[in-house]
Structure formats: structure tokens, C-alpha cells
Amino acid sequence: MIKKHNFNAGPSILPDVVIRNAAEAILDFNGSGLSLLSISHRTKDFDAVMAEADALFRELLHVPDNYKIFYVGGGASTMFYEVAANFLGRKAGYVNTGVWSKKAIKEAKRYGEVEVLATSEDRDFTYIPKGFAIPEDLDYLHITSNNTIYGTEYHEDIDSPVPLIADMSSDILSRPVDVSKYAMIYGGAQKNLAPAGAVFAIIREDMLDRIVRDLPTMASFRTHVENNSMFNTPPVFPIYVLKETLKWLKSIGGVEEIHRRNVEKAQLLYDEIDRNPLFRGTVVKEDRSLMNICFVMAEGYEELAPEFMAYATERGMVGIKGHRLVGGFRASCYNALPKESVEALVACMQEFAKSHVK
Ligand SMILES: *Cc1c(COP(=O)(O)O)cnc(C)c1O
């Protein structure tokens, strides 16, 4: 359908079949003669969409029964303050692994004390801090599981003696996760699941009893859990697309299969970055993200960056410019990105090297 290699960081690539089904539902939702965009969210047909999304999310991520899933409008950035508003009474711990962590920390400070338990800022966020102590008197510990901008990712679920809350905006459903180790997982839906406009949250039920203050109705997680995300009008279209993405993920073999594919894609590209004398990776190897693959021109070749960008763009690569804070290149390889796109980028790097390696 679309003949570009879409490495956009977010909003980002969705499976062709999902976009096609969404387009059809916009024209005629379930043969109702009405567009998905102009139905009431309080209908049997939309209830079914919500129920199917819930069942699929649970099945794919092996979400235990004592967890609830809800959706709200906004973005992960909305959650940065809502998490703290709900749960930060006295002190919370945060791990600072980059821009998104910093933004979460900034919002949390409005509600209580924030202890930054570990940070990778000393080396420009090029690694994931490990082995730090977690005090037991924290209201919760907050991590960012994948650093979309710097290209680092936790590859293991950490053990925490206090409720663990993770921003998984950019790696949700890209790899198996032991949900039972988390009190809450949330994220913007626009990286791996849907168009922009919705936030997903998976929350352990007992966390609702830990809400520390009286909040505006819409800011309280209890509202959304108790009303099945239907207290007000939910983001109907993003939720529909999310449901279609989950269906697609199940059809190809689920999270275990997508993880295998993601490892394969990432390996292809990282191998080329390591092998090709023109390029080098920017983060420590053991913490390399499977989703956002960052690289720069190697020493002595820095001035070739604009030329390579133009070369790759001409060959159909889209969205490989690095984040403005990091520079260089970033190829986001989300679930829906086909292996062929990574192969095309690798071929591009090899071709370019032929005429440019000194
Ligand atoms: C994109 C992103 C965000 C910001 O999401 P919004 O929905 O734009 O607020 C937050 N955290 C991470 C890890 C992200 O990748």
C-alpha cells in the first residue's frame, strides 16, 4: 500500500491491514451504514470493541486477573503528573534515563519528594543504570522501560520492593514482560499500537486503594477503572485501531513471535552499524534498544551525515533523522516495521560505504 520505509519514532508505522481495516470502519462501521467516527461510544458495537481490546491485551501480555486495563485521552505526558497525583504522598523514586524520565520527574515534584535513585545522565544517557538500591519507604518506583530518544532499553523486568510503575510508551507489546512485577504500566498508544490521542494503562487493582489525595474526577485512576474507560467519551478511533493492532499481533503469533522478529531486525541493523566503517552505535551494547536504533557517522566521516541522509531519503527511507537533542540517525523499528525495510536500510548503508570509505 505505502511504498516507503517508515522509521518514524512516533506517531509511527502501523500494520497495513490495520490501516485498511480502520479506513473501512471509517467508511462503514460493522455494516451499520455509519462511520466509526460518528457513532455513539455507548452502543453495543462499541462495547464489543472495548471488550475485544481488553481480552486481546490480557491474552497477549499475559495480564493477571487482578489487573485492570483502561484508556484515557491525552498522552504519556498526561500520565507523568497523574501517576504522581494519584500515588505520590510523601516520596517516590525515579530512575533518570533520559528526556522522558526527566519530564516525569519534573511533574512528580509538584506532588512530593522525588528521589532520583539512579541516572545515566553522566554519560549522556547511553546506558541503563543497574544494581541501584531501592529504599523500602517509597510510595513507588518509576522507570522508563525504553528510551525512545537515546535508544536504550531495559531487557529485564527489575525486582522492586515498592510498587513499580513503568512508562512503556515505546516498547509495549514488543517483548514479553512479567506484568506481575509491575504495579502499573502505561504509555502513549502512538508508538506501537494506534494513532495519537490515547493512553493505555494496566494497573494492579490494589493500587486504587493507595490513591493518596482527593483528585479531580478525570485525574483519578479510580474513575477510569470503575467506569471501564467510559466515564466520559473515550478516544473512540485510537481505541478501535489499537484493537485492530492487537488482533494483528495475535494473528502473527503474539508477543513471543514479535519479539523474535524484533530481535532479528535489530540484529541486522546493529550488525551493520558495527561492521560498516562509516557508522558507529551510540549506546552500550547490552542496553541497546530493539525499538529505536541510534547511530552516527564514525570518526573521520562526520561531515558525510547530510549526504547519507539525502542518499537514504532518495531510496525511500523516512524518519531516520536522530532526535534534535542527540543528532545523527535513529531508525525506529517498531512491531509493524517489516524486516524488508531494515534490509533496505542496511543495503543503503552498504552501498553508501562502497563509494565513501577512505
Ligand atoms: C513518546 C513518548 C512519550 C510522550 O508521549 P506523549 O503521548 O506525546 O505524551 C513519553 N514517554 C516515552 C517513553 C515516549 O516514547
CSV table of all heavy atoms in Angstrom, one decimal, residues 9-10 74-80 100-101 103 144-149 167-171 186-191 196-199 292 334, ligand 1:
chain,number,residue,atom,x,y,z
A,9,ALA,N,9.7,7.8,14.6
A,9,ALA,CA,9.8,7.5,16.0
A,9,ALA,C,8.4,7.5,16.7
A,9,ALA,O,8.2,6.9,17.8
A,9,ALA,CB,10.7,8.4,16.7
A,10,GLY,N,7.5,8.3,16.2
A,10,GLY,CA,6.1,8.3,16.8
A,10,GLY,C,5.5,9.7,16.6
A,10,GLY,O,6.1,10.7,16.8
A,74,GLY,N,-5.3,11.9,25.8
A,74,GLY,CA,-4.1,12.6,26.2
A,74,GLY,C,-2.9,11.8,25.7
A,74,GLY,O,-3.0,11.0,24.8
A,75,GLY,N,-1.8,12.0,26.4
A,75,GLY,CA,-0.6,11.3,26.1
A,75,GLY,C,0.1,10.7,27.3
A,75,GLY,O,-0.3,10.9,28.4
A,76,ALA,N,1.3,10.1,27.1
A,76,ALA,CA,2.1,9.6,28.2
A,76,ALA,C,2.4,10.8,29.1
A,76,ALA,O,2.5,10.7,30.3
A,76,ALA,CB,3.3,9.0,27.7
A,77,SER,N,2.6,12.0,28.5
A,77,SER,CA,2.9,13.2,29.3
A,77,SER,C,1.8,13.5,30.3
A,77,SER,O,2.0,14.1,31.3
A,77,SER,CB,3.1,14.4,28.3
A,77,SER,OG,4.1,14.0,27.4
A,78,THR,N,0.5,13.2,29.9
A,78,THR,CA,-0.6,13.4,30.9
A,78,THR,C,-0.3,12.5,32.1
A,78,THR,O,-0.6,12.9,33.3
A,78,THR,CB,-1.9,13.0,30.2
A,78,THR,OG1,-1.9,13.5,28.9
A,78,THR,CG2,-3.1,13.5,31.0
A,79,MET,N,0.1,11.3,31.9
A,79,MET,CA,0.4,10.3,33.0
A,79,MET,C,1.5,10.8,33.9
A,79,MET,O,1.6,10.4,35.0
A,79,MET,CB,0.7,9.0,32.4
A,79,MET,CG,-0.5,8.2,31.9
A,79,MET,SD,-1.8,8.1,33.1
A,79,MET,CE,-2.8,6.8,32.6
A,80,PHE,N,2.4,11.6,33.3
A,80,PHE,CA,3.6,12.0,34.2
A,80,PHE,C,3.1,12.7,35.4
A,80,PHE,O,3.6,12.5,36.5
A,80,PHE,CB,4.5,12.9,33.4
A,80,PHE,CG,5.3,12.3,32.3
A,80,PHE,CD1,5.9,13.0,31.3
A,80,PHE,CD2,5.3,10.9,32.2
A,80,PHE,CE1,6.6,12.4,30.2
A,80,PHE,CE2,6.0,10.3,31.1
A,80,PHE,CZ,6.7,11.0,30.2
A,100,TRP,N,12.4,11.6,28.7
A,100,TRP,CA,11.0,11.3,29.2
A,100,TRP,C,11.1,11.1,30.7
A,100,TRP,O,10.1,11.4,31.4
A,100,TRP,CB,10.5,10.1,28.4
A,100,TRP,CG,10.3,10.3,27.0
A,100,TRP,CD1,11.0,9.7,25.9
A,100,TRP,CD2,9.6,11.4,26.3
A,100,TRP,NE1,10.6,10.2,24.7
A,100,TRP,CE2,9.8,11.2,24.9
A,100,TRP,CE3,8.7,12.4,26.8
A,100,TRP,CZ2,9.2,12.1,24.0
A,100,TRP,CZ3,8.1,13.2,25.9
A,100,TRP,CH2,8.3,13.1,24.5
A,101,SER,N,12.1,10.4,31.2
A,101,SER,CA,12.2,10.3,32.6
A,101,SER,C,12.3,11.7,33.3
A,101,SER,O,11.6,11.9,34.3
A,101,SER,CB,13.5,9.5,33.0
A,101,SER,OG,13.6,8.3,32.4
A,103,LYS,N,11.1,14.5,32.3
A,103,LYS,CA,9.8,15.1,32.3
A,103,LYS,C,8.9,14.5,33.3
A,103,LYS,O,8.1,15.3,34.0
A,103,LYS,CB,9.2,15.0,30.9
A,103,LYS,CG,9.9,15.9,29.8
A,103,LYS,CD,9.1,15.9,28.5
A,103,LYS,CE,9.8,17.0,27.6
A,103,LYS,NZ,9.1,17.2,26.4
A,144,THR,N,11.4,4.3,33.0
A,144,THR,CA,11.1,4.4,31.5
A,144,THR,C,11.7,3.2,30.9
A,144,THR,O,12.9,3.1,30.7
A,144,THR,CB,11.6,5.7,30.9
A,144,THR,OG1,11.3,6.8,31.8
A,144,THR,CG2,11.1,6.0,29.6
A,145,SER,N,10.9,2.3,30.4
A,145,SER,CA,11.4,1.0,30.0
A,145,SER,C,12.2,1.0,28.7
A,145,SER,O,13.1,0.3,28.5
A,145,SER,CB,10.4,-0.1,29.9
A,145,SER,OG,9.4,0.3,29.0
A,146,ASN,N,11.9,2.0,27.9
A,146,ASN,CA,12.6,2.1,26.6
A,146,ASN,C,12.8,3.6,26.3
A,146,ASN,O,11.8,4.4,26.3
A,146,ASN,CB,11.9,1.5,25.4
A,146,ASN,CG,12.6,1.6,24.1
A,146,ASN,OD1,13.7,1.1,23.9
A,146,ASN,ND2,12.0,2.4,23.2
A,147,ASN,N,14.0,4.0,26.1
A,147,ASN,CA,14.3,5.4,25.8
A,147,ASN,C,14.3,5.7,24.4
A,147,ASN,O,15.3,5.5,23.6
A,147,ASN,CB,15.7,5.7,26.4
A,147,ASN,CG,15.6,5.8,27.9
A,147,ASN,OD1,14.9,6.7,28.4
A,147,ASN,ND2,16.1,4.8,28.6
A,148,THR,N,13.2,6.1,23.9
A,148,THR,CA,12.9,6.4,22.5
A,148,THR,C,13.9,7.3,21.9
A,148,THR,O,14.2,7.2,20.7
A,148,THR,CB,11.5,7.1,22.5
A,148,THR,OG1,10.6,6.5,23.5
A,148,THR,CG2,10.8,6.8,21.1
A,149,ILE,N,14.4,8.3,22.6
A,149,ILE,CA,15.3,9.3,22.1
A,149,ILE,C,16.7,8.8,22.0
A,149,ILE,O,17.4,9.0,21.0
A,149,ILE,CB,15.2,10.6,22.9
A,149,ILE,CG1,13.7,11.2,22.6
A,149,ILE,CG2,16.2,11.6,22.5
A,149,ILE,CD1,13.4,12.4,23.4
A,167,ASP,N,6.7,3.6,32.4
A,167,ASP,CA,6.3,4.2,31.1
A,167,ASP,C,6.8,3.3,30.0
A,167,ASP,O,8.0,3.2,29.8
A,167,ASP,CB,6.9,5.6,31.0
A,167,ASP,CG,6.7,6.3,29.7
A,167,ASP,OD1,6.1,5.7,28.8
A,167,ASP,OD2,7.2,7.4,29.5
A,168,MET,N,5.9,2.6,29.4
A,168,MET,CA,6.3,1.6,28.3
A,168,MET,C,5.8,2.1,27.0
A,168,MET,O,5.4,1.3,26.1
A,168,MET,CB,5.8,0.2,28.6
A,168,MET,CG,6.5,-0.5,29.7
A,168,MET,SD,6.2,-2.3,29.6
A,168,MET,CE,6.9,-2.8,31.2
A,169,SER,N,5.7,3.4,26.8
A,169,SER,CA,5.2,4.0,25.6
A,169,SER,C,5.8,3.4,24.3
A,169,SER,O,5.1,3.1,23.4
A,169,SER,CB,5.5,5.5,25.5
A,169,SER,OG,4.8,6.2,26.5
A,170,SER,N,7.1,3.2,24.3
A,170,SER,CA,7.7,2.8,23.0
A,170,SER,C,8.2,1.4,23.0
A,170,SER,O,8.8,1.0,22.0
A,170,SER,CB,8.9,3.8,22.7
A,170,SER,OG,9.7,3.9,23.8
A,171,ASP,N,7.9,0.6,24.0
A,171,ASP,CA,8.2,-0.8,23.8
A,171,ASP,C,7.1,-1.8,24.3
A,171,ASP,O,7.3,-3.0,24.3
A,171,ASP,CB,9.6,-1.2,24.4
A,171,ASP,CG,9.6,-1.1,25.9
A,171,ASP,OD1,8.7,-0.5,26.5
A,171,ASP,OD2,10.6,-1.6,26.5
A,186,TYR,N,2.1,2.0,31.8
A,186,TYR,CA,1.2,3.0,31.0
A,186,TYR,C,2.0,3.4,29.8
A,186,TYR,O,3.3,3.2,29.7
A,186,TYR,CB,0.8,4.2,31.8
A,186,TYR,CG,1.9,5.1,32.2
A,186,TYR,CD1,2.3,6.1,31.3
A,186,TYR,CD2,2.7,5.0,33.3
A,186,TYR,CE1,3.4,7.0,31.6
A,186,TYR,CE2,3.7,5.8,33.6
A,186,TYR,CZ,4.1,6.8,32.8
A,186,TYR,OH,5.1,7.7,33.0
A,187,GLY,N,1.4,4.1,28.9
A,187,GLY,CA,2.1,4.7,27.7
A,187,GLY,C,1.2,5.3,26.7
A,187,GLY,O,-0.1,5.1,26.7
A,188,GLY,N,1.7,6.2,25.9
A,188,GLY,CA,1.0,6.7,24.8
A,188,GLY,C,0.8,5.6,23.8
A,188,GLY,O,1.7,4.8,23.6
A,189,ALA,N,-0.3,5.6,23.1
A,189,ALA,CA,-0.6,4.5,22.2
A,189,ALA,C,0.1,4.6,20.8
A,189,ALA,O,0.1,3.7,20.1
A,189,ALA,CB,-2.1,4.3,22.0
A,190,GLN,N,0.7,5.8,20.6
A,190,GLN,CA,1.1,6.1,19.2
A,190,GLN,C,2.4,5.6,18.7
A,190,GLN,O,2.8,5.9,17.6
A,190,GLN,CB,1.0,7.6,19.0
A,190,GLN,CG,2.1,8.4,19.7
A,190,GLN,CD,1.8,8.8,21.1
A,190,GLN,OE1,1.0,8.2,21.8
A,190,GLN,NE2,2.5,9.8,21.7
A,191,LYS,N,3.0,4.7,19.5
A,191,LYS,CA,4.3,4.1,19.1
A,191,LYS,C,4.1,2.7,18.5
A,191,LYS,O,4.5,2.4,17.4
A,191,LYS,CB,5.3,4.1,20.2
A,191,LYS,CG,5.5,5.4,20.9
A,191,LYS,CD,6.5,6.4,20.3
A,191,LYS,CE,6.3,7.8,20.8
A,191,LYS,NZ,6.7,8.1,22.1
A,196,ALA,N,-2.2,8.7,17.5
A,196,ALA,CA,-2.1,9.5,18.7
A,196,ALA,C,-3.4,9.8,19.3
A,196,ALA,O,-4.4,9.8,18.6
A,196,ALA,CB,-1.3,10.8,18.4
A,197,GLY,N,-3.5,10.1,20.6
A,197,GLY,CA,-4.7,10.5,21.2
A,197,GLY,C,-5.2,9.7,22.4
A,197,GLY,O,-6.0,10.1,23.1
A,198,ALA,N,-4.6,8.5,22.5
A,198,ALA,CA,-5.0,7.7,23.7
A,198,ALA,C,-3.8,7.2,24.5
A,198,ALA,O,-2.7,7.1,24.0
A,198,ALA,CB,-5.7,6.5,23.1
A,199,VAL,N,-4.1,7.0,25.7
A,199,VAL,CA,-3.1,6.4,26.7
A,199,VAL,C,-3.7,5.1,27.1
A,199,VAL,O,-4.9,5.0,27.4
A,199,VAL,CB,-3.0,7.3,27.9
A,199,VAL,CG1,-2.0,6.7,28.9
A,199,VAL,CG2,-2.5,8.7,27.6
A,292,ASN,N,14.3,1.5,19.0
A,292,ASN,CA,14.9,2.8,18.5
A,292,ASN,C,16.4,2.6,18.4
A,292,ASN,O,17.1,2.6,19.4
A,292,ASN,CB,14.5,4.0,19.4
A,292,ASN,CG,13.1,4.0,19.7
A,292,ASN,OD1,12.7,3.5,20.8
A,292,ASN,ND2,12.2,4.5,18.8
A,334,TYR,N,9.7,-0.4,15.1
A,334,TYR,CA,8.5,-0.9,15.9
A,334,TYR,C,8.0,-2.2,15.3
A,334,TYR,O,8.4,-2.6,14.2
A,334,TYR,CB,7.5,0.2,16.0
A,334,TYR,CG,7.9,1.4,16.7
A,334,TYR,CD1,8.0,2.7,16.1
A,334,TYR,CD2,8.3,1.3,18.1
A,334,TYR,CE1,8.4,3.8,16.9
A,334,TYR,CE2,8.7,2.4,18.8
A,334,TYR,CZ,8.8,3.7,18.2
A,334,TYR,OH,9.2,4.8,18.9
B,1,LIG,C1,6.7,9.4,23.1
B,1,LIG,C2,7.0,9.1,24.5
B,1,LIG,C3,6.4,9.9,25.5
B,1,LIG,C4,5.5,11.1,25.2
B,1,LIG,O1,4.3,10.7,24.8
B,1,LIG,P1,3.1,11.7,24.5
B,1,LIG,O2,2.0,10.7,24.3
B,1,LIG,O3,3.5,12.5,23.4
B,1,LIG,O4,2.8,12.5,25.8
B,1,LIG,C5,6.6,9.6,26.8
B,1,LIG,N1,7.5,8.5,27.1
B,1,LIG,C6,8.1,7.8,26.2
B,1,LIG,C7,9.0,6.7,26.6
B,1,LIG,C8,7.8,8.1,24.8
B,1,LIG,O5,8.4,7.3,23.9
